[in-house]
Every structure is written in C-alpha cells, then in structure tokens.
C-alpha cells in the first residue's frame, strides 16, 4: 500500500509529489522515470497520473516497519489506458 500526496505549485509547473511505499531493498536511481497510475474507485484515472522523475529518496526504519519515501517531479501527463 502507499500514500500519494501532491503539492502542486499554484497553477504552475512543476508539479511535485511524494510517495511512501514499503521499503525498497536497493536505492532508487535519481532522475529515473516512474509512471504512476492513480485510479479512482470505479476504474477511472485521476489527472495526476503520469510520468515522474525521482529527485530524492529517504528511507526510515522504526517499529512500524521499513518505509521509503520518494520525492517526484511530474514531467508528462498520461493518456494511456489503465491496463497497458
């Protein structure tokens, strides 16, 4: 499971995002591409779906487990179908 929080700059690009996931076993390579599909209940894609660049990785280990937070910048929208 993951939490997806968006922090858009008021009506301007770039759109920055962070995603927290169960910890990665290896480091993410900075400036690599990551495609996110944000799906509404019922199967429709959210406008925030698209192609992002990884700009930062932070790992945390505590009593709730191992988590990785990736900082992202949106570089492209996504018009592809949900299931490619």
């Amino acid at each position: 499971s993951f939490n997806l929080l968006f922090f858009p700059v008021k009506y301007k690009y770039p759109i920055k995002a962070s995603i927290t996931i169960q910890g990665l076993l290896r480091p993410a390579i900075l400036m690599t591409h990551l495609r996110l599909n944000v799906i509404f209940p019922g199967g429709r894609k959210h406008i925030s779906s698209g192609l992002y660049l990884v700009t930062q990785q932070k790992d945390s280990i505590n009593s709730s487990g191992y988590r990785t937070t990736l900082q992202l910048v949106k570089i492209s929208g996504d018009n592809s179908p949900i299931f490619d």
Side-chain angles (χ1 to χ4, degrees), residues 2-7 15-36 52-60 66-74:
F2 64 88
N3 297 320
L4 187 60
L5 302 173
F6 283 88
F7 305 101
I15 294 175
K16 296 180 181 180
S18 68
I19 184 171
T20 301
I21 57 176
Q22 190 171 6
L24 295 174
L25 297 177
R26 61 177 187 216
I29 299 173
L30 296 180
M31 303 309 282
T32 57
H33 296 99
L34 178 67
R35 181 170 304 281
L36 293 180
Y52 290 80
L53 282 178
V54 177
T55 59
Q56 185 178 27
Q57 176 180 344
K58 289 185 181 179
D59 298 308
S60 65
Y66 180 40
R67 301 277 186 257
T68 297
T69 300
L70 299 174
Q71 298 297 320
L72 310 169
V73 174
K74 189 172 183 180

Side-chain angles (χ1 to χ4, degrees), residues 44-56:
R44 291 184 328 161
K45 270 191 186 181
H46 189 269
I47 194 169
S48 58
S49 295
L51 194 61
Y52 290 80
L53 282 178
V54 177
T55 59
Q56 185 178 27

Side-chain angles (χ1 to χ4, degrees), residues 70-83:
L70 299 174
Q71 298 297 320
L72 310 169
V73 174
K74 189 172 183 180
I75 59 170
S76 176
D78 188 12
N79 295 324
S80 65
I82 293 174
F83 303 105

